[in-house]
Amino acid sequence: MSDTYTLNVAGLTRELKKYPVNEKLDIAAFIMFSDVELTVRCAEELLKKAPEFDIIITSEAKGIPLAYEMARQSEKPYVVARKSIKVYMKNPVSVNVKSITTKDQQMLHLGDEKASMIKDKKVLIVDDVISTGESLSALEKLVQGAGGIVAGSLAVLAEGDAADRDDIVFLEKLPLFFR
């Protein structure tokens, strides 16, 4: 089995390194950090597929460059669901999340200032990869808890069974690698 996976997305090709999740499963790590060309192109392509929206939300941290670039191109605001409560966050809205790429259960939080930005707004949920859907579900609950309306959910990649979902929009499939 190769140590890399060749990904073609948004007209670009990248070699993704594979990493073990457990003794039976490897994943190809898609990391947009530092890849400006990829981030810009994926944002362009996702915006072509996006439903009407007022604001973008993503979770800390890997979706941030994509959400920022989509906000910049669409000239609409974005917010980031934080993984810890910061001193400046008053009356946070919080939800639990368990992701395939994170060892432990986590929380996502929005302070009242950011929550008020999405109240009564059509919110576009954006992430780099949707796999188990746990992060997506947590973001949906966070949006609803803050009084926002989920306009749609977009990701660059749908990993494994997520590619069979009809409630997400994505650019390419990313396989799982079983040993």
Short mmCIF file of all heavy atoms in Angstrom, two decimals, residues 36-79:
data_model
loop_
_atom_site.label_atom_id
_atom_site.label_comp_id
_atom_site.label_asym_id
_atom_site.label_seq_id
_atom_site.Cartn_x
_atom_site.Cartn_y
_atom_site.Cartn_z
N VAL A 36 -1.95 28.34 -0.09
CA VAL A 36 -2.81 29.46 -0.50
C VAL A 36 -3.51 29.16 -1.82
O VAL A 36 -4.70 29.40 -1.96
CB VAL A 36 -1.98 30.77 -0.59
CG1 VAL A 36 -2.83 31.91 -1.13
CG2 VAL A 36 -1.40 31.12 0.77
N GLU A 37 -2.79 28.63 -2.78
CA GLU A 37 -3.38 28.33 -4.09
C GLU A 37 -4.57 27.38 -3.94
O GLU A 37 -5.65 27.62 -4.50
CB GLU A 37 -2.33 27.71 -5.02
CG GLU A 37 -2.89 27.35 -6.39
CD GLU A 37 -1.88 26.62 -7.26
OE1 GLU A 37 -1.05 25.85 -6.72
OE2 GLU A 37 -1.93 26.82 -8.49
N LEU A 38 -4.39 26.33 -3.17
CA LEU A 38 -5.46 25.35 -2.96
C LEU A 38 -6.64 25.98 -2.24
O LEU A 38 -7.81 25.77 -2.60
CB LEU A 38 -4.93 24.16 -2.17
CG LEU A 38 -5.92 23.03 -1.91
CD1 LEU A 38 -6.30 22.35 -3.21
CD2 LEU A 38 -5.31 22.03 -0.95
N THR A 39 -6.36 26.78 -1.23
CA THR A 39 -7.42 27.44 -0.46
C THR A 39 -8.25 28.36 -1.35
O THR A 39 -9.49 28.32 -1.32
CB THR A 39 -6.83 28.22 0.73
OG1 THR A 39 -6.07 27.32 1.53
CG2 THR A 39 -7.91 28.86 1.57
N VAL A 40 -7.59 29.17 -2.14
CA VAL A 40 -8.30 30.12 -3.03
C VAL A 40 -9.14 29.37 -4.05
O VAL A 40 -10.31 29.69 -4.26
CB VAL A 40 -7.29 31.07 -3.72
CG1 VAL A 40 -7.95 31.87 -4.83
CG2 VAL A 40 -6.65 31.99 -2.70
N ARG A 41 -8.59 28.34 -4.67
CA ARG A 41 -9.31 27.61 -5.71
C ARG A 41 -10.50 26.83 -5.14
O ARG A 41 -11.58 26.80 -5.73
CB ARG A 41 -8.37 26.66 -6.45
CG ARG A 41 -7.30 27.37 -7.26
CD ARG A 41 -7.79 27.93 -8.59
NE ARG A 41 -8.01 26.93 -9.58
CZ ARG A 41 -7.07 26.37 -10.31
NH1 ARG A 41 -5.81 26.72 -10.17
NH2 ARG A 41 -7.38 25.44 -11.20
N CYS A 42 -10.31 26.21 -3.99
CA CYS A 42 -11.42 25.47 -3.36
C CYS A 42 -12.53 26.43 -2.94
O CYS A 42 -13.71 26.12 -3.11
CB CYS A 42 -10.92 24.65 -2.18
SG CYS A 42 -9.91 23.24 -2.66
N ALA A 43 -12.17 27.59 -2.41
CA ALA A 43 -13.18 28.59 -2.03
C ALA A 43 -13.98 29.02 -3.25
O ALA A 43 -15.22 29.10 -3.19
CB ALA A 43 -12.51 29.79 -1.38
N GLU A 44 -13.31 29.28 -4.36
CA GLU A 44 -14.00 29.67 -5.60
C GLU A 44 -15.00 28.61 -6.02
O GLU A 44 -16.15 28.91 -6.35
CB GLU A 44 -12.99 29.85 -6.74
CG GLU A 44 -12.12 31.07 -6.64
CD GLU A 44 -11.00 31.09 -7.67
OE1 GLU A 44 -10.85 30.11 -8.47
OE2 GLU A 44 -10.25 32.08 -7.69
N GLU A 45 -14.56 27.35 -6.02
CA GLU A 45 -15.42 26.26 -6.48
C GLU A 45 -16.59 26.01 -5.53
O GLU A 45 -17.70 25.74 -5.97
CB GLU A 45 -14.60 24.99 -6.70
CG GLU A 45 -13.60 25.10 -7.83
CD GLU A 45 -14.22 25.50 -9.16
OE1 GLU A 45 -15.25 24.90 -9.56
OE2 GLU A 45 -13.70 26.44 -9.81
N LEU A 46 -16.34 26.10 -4.23
CA LEU A 46 -17.43 25.90 -3.27
C LEU A 46 -18.46 27.02 -3.36
O LEU A 46 -19.66 26.77 -3.27
CB LEU A 46 -16.89 25.77 -1.85
CG LEU A 46 -16.25 24.42 -1.53
CD1 LEU A 46 -15.55 24.47 -0.18
CD2 LEU A 46 -17.29 23.30 -1.56
N LEU A 47 -18.02 28.25 -3.55
CA LEU A 47 -18.97 29.36 -3.67
C LEU A 47 -19.88 29.20 -4.88
O LEU A 47 -21.03 29.63 -4.85
CB LEU A 47 -18.23 30.70 -3.70
CG LEU A 47 -17.72 31.17 -2.34
CD1 LEU A 47 -16.78 32.36 -2.50
CD2 LEU A 47 -18.87 31.50 -1.40
N LYS A 48 -19.39 28.58 -5.93
CA LYS A 48 -20.23 28.32 -7.11
C LYS A 48 -21.37 27.37 -6.77
O LYS A 48 -22.42 27.39 -7.41
CB LYS A 48 -19.39 27.71 -8.24
CG LYS A 48 -18.41 28.66 -8.87
CD LYS A 48 -17.57 27.94 -9.92
CE LYS A 48 -16.46 28.82 -10.47
NZ LYS A 48 -15.60 28.06 -11.41
N LYS A 49 -21.16 26.52 -5.77
CA LYS A 49 -22.15 25.50 -5.39
C LYS A 49 -22.98 25.89 -4.16
O LYS A 49 -23.88 25.17 -3.77
CB LYS A 49 -21.43 24.17 -5.09
CG LYS A 49 -20.71 23.58 -6.27
CD LYS A 49 -19.96 22.33 -5.86
CE LYS A 49 -19.37 21.63 -7.04
NZ LYS A 49 -19.80 20.25 -7.19
N ALA A 50 -22.63 27.02 -3.55
CA ALA A 50 -23.27 27.41 -2.28
C ALA A 50 -24.68 27.92 -2.49
O ALA A 50 -24.96 28.64 -3.44
CB ALA A 50 -22.43 28.49 -1.60
N PRO A 51 -25.58 27.56 -1.57
CA PRO A 51 -26.91 28.17 -1.58
C PRO A 51 -26.81 29.62 -1.10
O PRO A 51 -25.74 30.06 -0.64
CB PRO A 51 -27.69 27.31 -0.58
CG PRO A 51 -26.65 26.83 0.38
CD PRO A 51 -25.40 26.64 -0.45
N GLU A 52 -27.91 30.33 -1.14
CA GLU A 52 -27.93 31.71 -0.63
C GLU A 52 -27.62 31.69 0.86
O GLU A 52 -28.14 30.86 1.60
CB GLU A 52 -29.30 32.32 -0.88
CG GLU A 52 -29.41 33.76 -0.48
CD GLU A 52 -30.80 34.32 -0.73
OE1 GLU A 52 -31.43 33.93 -1.72
OE2 GLU A 52 -31.24 35.13 0.10
N PHE A 53 -26.76 32.63 1.30
CA PHE A 53 -26.38 32.69 2.72
C PHE A 53 -26.04 34.12 3.10
O PHE A 53 -25.76 34.96 2.24
CB PHE A 53 -25.20 31.76 3.01
CG PHE A 53 -23.90 32.18 2.37
CD1 PHE A 53 -22.96 32.90 3.10
CD2 PHE A 53 -23.60 31.85 1.06
CE1 PHE A 53 -21.75 33.29 2.53
CE2 PHE A 53 -22.41 32.23 0.47
CZ PHE A 53 -21.48 32.96 1.21
N ASP A 54 -26.04 34.35 4.43
CA ASP A 54 -25.70 35.66 4.97
C ASP A 54 -24.33 35.68 5.64
O ASP A 54 -23.67 36.71 5.69
CB ASP A 54 -26.74 36.10 6.02
CG ASP A 54 -28.13 36.18 5.44
OD1 ASP A 54 -28.30 36.80 4.38
OD2 ASP A 54 -29.06 35.60 6.05
N ILE A 55 -23.95 34.54 6.21
CA ILE A 55 -22.72 34.47 7.00
C ILE A 55 -22.20 33.03 6.97
O ILE A 55 -22.96 32.09 6.76
CB ILE A 55 -22.98 34.94 8.46
CG1 ILE A 55 -21.68 35.09 9.25
CG2 ILE A 55 -24.00 34.06 9.15
CD1 ILE A 55 -21.86 35.82 10.58
N ILE A 56 -20.90 32.89 7.17
CA ILE A 56 -20.23 31.58 7.16
C ILE A 56 -19.78 31.25 8.59
O ILE A 56 -19.34 32.13 9.32
CB ILE A 56 -19.00 31.62 6.23
CG1 ILE A 56 -19.43 31.84 4.78
CG2 ILE A 56 -18.16 30.34 6.36
CD1 ILE A 56 -18.29 32.18 3.84
N ILE A 57 -19.88 29.96 8.93
CA ILE A 57 -19.32 29.48 10.20
C ILE A 57 -18.44 28.27 9.92
O ILE A 57 -18.74 27.47 9.01
CB ILE A 57 -20.41 29.13 11.24
CG1 ILE A 57 -19.78 28.88 12.62
CG2 ILE A 57 -21.24 27.95 10.80
CD1 ILE A 57 -20.79 28.76 13.76
N THR A 58 -17.36 28.15 10.66
CA THR A 58 -16.50 26.97 10.64
C THR A 58 -16.03 26.72 12.06
O THR A 58 -16.19 27.57 12.94
CB THR A 58 -15.30 27.15 9.69
OG1 THR A 58 -14.69 25.87 9.46
CG2 THR A 58 -14.27 28.13 10.23
N SER A 59 -15.45 25.54 12.27
CA SER A 59 -14.90 25.25 13.60
C SER A 59 -13.39 25.46 13.57
O SER A 59 -12.75 25.33 12.53
CB SER A 59 -15.26 23.83 14.04
OG SER A 59 -14.74 22.89 13.13
N GLU A 60 -12.87 25.76 14.72
CA GLU A 60 -11.43 25.92 14.91
C GLU A 60 -10.80 24.54 14.68
O GLU A 60 -11.31 23.56 15.21
CB GLU A 60 -11.21 26.41 16.34
CG GLU A 60 -9.84 26.90 16.64
CD GLU A 60 -9.76 27.49 18.05
OE1 GLU A 60 -10.45 26.99 18.97
OE2 GLU A 60 -9.02 28.44 18.21
N ALA A 61 -9.84 24.33 13.88
CA ALA A 61 -8.92 25.26 13.30
C ALA A 61 -8.78 25.06 11.79
O ALA A 61 -8.58 26.02 11.06
CB ALA A 61 -7.54 25.13 13.95
N LYS A 62 -8.87 23.81 11.31
CA LYS A 62 -8.49 23.56 9.91
C LYS A 62 -9.42 24.21 8.89
O LYS A 62 -9.02 24.45 7.76
CB LYS A 62 -8.37 22.06 9.66
CG LYS A 62 -7.11 21.49 10.28
CD LYS A 62 -6.98 19.98 10.18
CE LYS A 62 -7.38 19.40 8.88
NZ LYS A 62 -7.40 17.95 8.85
N GLY A 63 -10.65 24.52 9.24
CA GLY A 63 -11.56 25.16 8.30
C GLY A 63 -11.39 26.66 8.20
O GLY A 63 -11.97 27.31 7.33
N ILE A 64 -10.59 27.25 9.08
CA ILE A 64 -10.48 28.71 9.14
C ILE A 64 -9.96 29.33 7.84
O ILE A 64 -10.56 30.29 7.34
CB ILE A 64 -9.64 29.17 10.36
CG1 ILE A 64 -10.38 28.82 11.66
CG2 ILE A 64 -9.37 30.67 10.30
CD1 ILE A 64 -9.57 29.06 12.92
N PRO A 65 -8.87 28.84 7.25
CA PRO A 65 -8.42 29.48 6.00
C PRO A 65 -9.48 29.44 4.90
O PRO A 65 -9.66 30.41 4.17
CB PRO A 65 -7.18 28.68 5.60
CG PRO A 65 -6.75 27.96 6.82
CD PRO A 65 -7.98 27.76 7.67
N LEU A 66 -10.19 28.33 4.80
CA LEU A 66 -11.23 28.19 3.78
C LEU A 66 -12.39 29.15 4.05
O LEU A 66 -12.86 29.84 3.14
CB LEU A 66 -11.72 26.75 3.74
CG LEU A 66 -12.83 26.46 2.72
CD1 LEU A 66 -12.33 26.68 1.30
CD2 LEU A 66 -13.33 25.03 2.90
N ALA A 67 -12.84 29.20 5.29
CA ALA A 67 -13.95 30.10 5.64
C ALA A 67 -13.55 31.55 5.40
O ALA A 67 -14.34 32.34 4.87
CB ALA A 67 -14.37 29.90 7.10
N TYR A 68 -12.34 31.90 5.78
CA TYR A 68 -11.86 33.27 5.55
C TYR A 68 -11.87 33.60 4.05
O TYR A 68 -12.36 34.65 3.63
CB TYR A 68 -10.44 33.47 6.10
CG TYR A 68 -9.83 34.73 5.55
CD1 TYR A 68 -10.15 35.97 6.10
CD2 TYR A 68 -8.99 34.70 4.45
CE1 TYR A 68 -9.64 37.13 5.57
CE2 TYR A 68 -8.47 35.86 3.91
CZ TYR A 68 -8.80 37.08 4.47
OH TYR A 68 -8.30 38.23 3.93
N GLU A 69 -11.33 32.70 3.25
CA GLU A 69 -11.24 32.97 1.81
C GLU A 69 -12.62 33.01 1.17
O GLU A 69 -12.88 33.83 0.29
CB GLU A 69 -10.35 31.93 1.13
CG GLU A 69 -10.13 32.17 -0.35
CD GLU A 69 -9.52 33.51 -0.70
OE1 GLU A 69 -8.80 34.11 0.13
OE2 GLU A 69 -9.74 33.98 -1.84
N MET A 70 -13.53 32.17 1.60
CA MET A 70 -14.90 32.22 1.07
C MET A 70 -15.57 33.52 1.48
O MET A 70 -16.31 34.12 0.70
CB MET A 70 -15.69 31.00 1.54
CG MET A 70 -15.23 29.71 0.88
SD MET A 70 -16.11 28.24 1.47
CE MET A 70 -17.73 28.52 0.73
N ALA A 71 -15.31 33.97 2.71
CA ALA A 71 -15.87 35.25 3.17
C ALA A 71 -15.28 36.41 2.36
O ALA A 71 -16.00 37.32 1.95
CB ALA A 71 -15.59 35.44 4.66
N ARG A 72 -13.99 36.35 2.12
CA ARG A 72 -13.34 37.41 1.35
C ARG A 72 -13.91 37.48 -0.07
O ARG A 72 -14.27 38.55 -0.55
CB ARG A 72 -11.83 37.17 1.30
CG ARG A 72 -11.03 38.34 0.70
CD ARG A 72 -9.58 37.96 0.45
NE ARG A 72 -9.42 36.98 -0.61
CZ ARG A 72 -9.52 37.27 -1.92
NH1 ARG A 72 -9.78 38.49 -2.32
NH2 ARG A 72 -9.36 36.31 -2.81
N GLN A 73 -14.03 36.33 -0.71
CA GLN A 73 -14.52 36.31 -2.09
C GLN A 73 -16.00 36.70 -2.18
O GLN A 73 -16.41 37.34 -3.14
CB GLN A 73 -14.31 34.92 -2.71
CG GLN A 73 -12.86 34.61 -2.98
CD GLN A 73 -12.67 33.25 -3.62
OE1 GLN A 73 -13.57 32.70 -4.26
NE2 GLN A 73 -11.49 32.67 -3.46
N SER A 74 -16.80 36.30 -1.20
CA SER A 74 -18.24 36.58 -1.24
C SER A 74 -18.58 37.92 -0.61
O SER A 74 -19.71 38.39 -0.73
CB SER A 74 -19.02 35.48 -0.51
OG SER A 74 -18.72 35.50 0.88
N GLU A 75 -17.60 38.52 0.07
CA GLU A 75 -17.79 39.78 0.79
C GLU A 75 -18.88 39.66 1.87
O GLU A 75 -19.65 40.58 2.11
CB GLU A 75 -18.08 40.94 -0.17
CG GLU A 75 -16.95 41.17 -1.15
CD GLU A 75 -17.19 42.32 -2.11
OE1 GLU A 75 -18.35 42.79 -2.25
OE2 GLU A 75 -16.20 42.75 -2.72
N LYS A 76 -18.89 38.49 2.52
CA LYS A 76 -19.81 38.23 3.63
C LYS A 76 -18.98 37.86 4.85
O LYS A 76 -17.87 37.36 4.73
CB LYS A 76 -20.78 37.13 3.26
CG LYS A 76 -21.66 37.54 2.08
CD LYS A 76 -22.85 36.69 1.90
CE LYS A 76 -23.67 37.25 0.75
NZ LYS A 76 -24.77 36.38 0.41
N PRO A 77 -19.52 38.08 6.03
CA PRO A 77 -18.75 37.80 7.25
C PRO A 77 -18.64 36.30 7.55
O PRO A 77 -19.37 35.49 6.99
CB PRO A 77 -19.55 38.51 8.34
CG PRO A 77 -20.94 38.56 7.82
CD PRO A 77 -20.83 38.67 6.32
N TYR A 78 -17.70 36.00 8.45
CA TYR A 78 -17.59 34.62 8.94
C TYR A 78 -17.29 34.64 10.43
O TYR A 78 -16.80 35.63 10.96
CB TYR A 78 -16.52 33.83 8.18
CG TYR A 78 -15.09 34.11 8.57
CD1 TYR A 78 -14.38 33.21 9.36
CD2 TYR A 78 -14.43 35.26 8.14
CE1 TYR A 78 -13.06 33.45 9.70
CE2 TYR A 78 -13.12 35.51 8.48
CZ TYR A 78 -12.43 34.60 9.25
OH TYR A 78 -11.13 34.84 9.59
N VAL A 79 -17.65 33.55 11.09
CA VAL A 79 -17.34 33.37 12.50
C VAL A 79 -16.70 32.00 12.68
O VAL A 79 -16.90 31.09 11.88
CB VAL A 79 -18.58 33.51 13.43
CG1 VAL A 79 -19.15 34.91 13.36
CG2 VAL A 79 -19.63 32.49 13.10
#
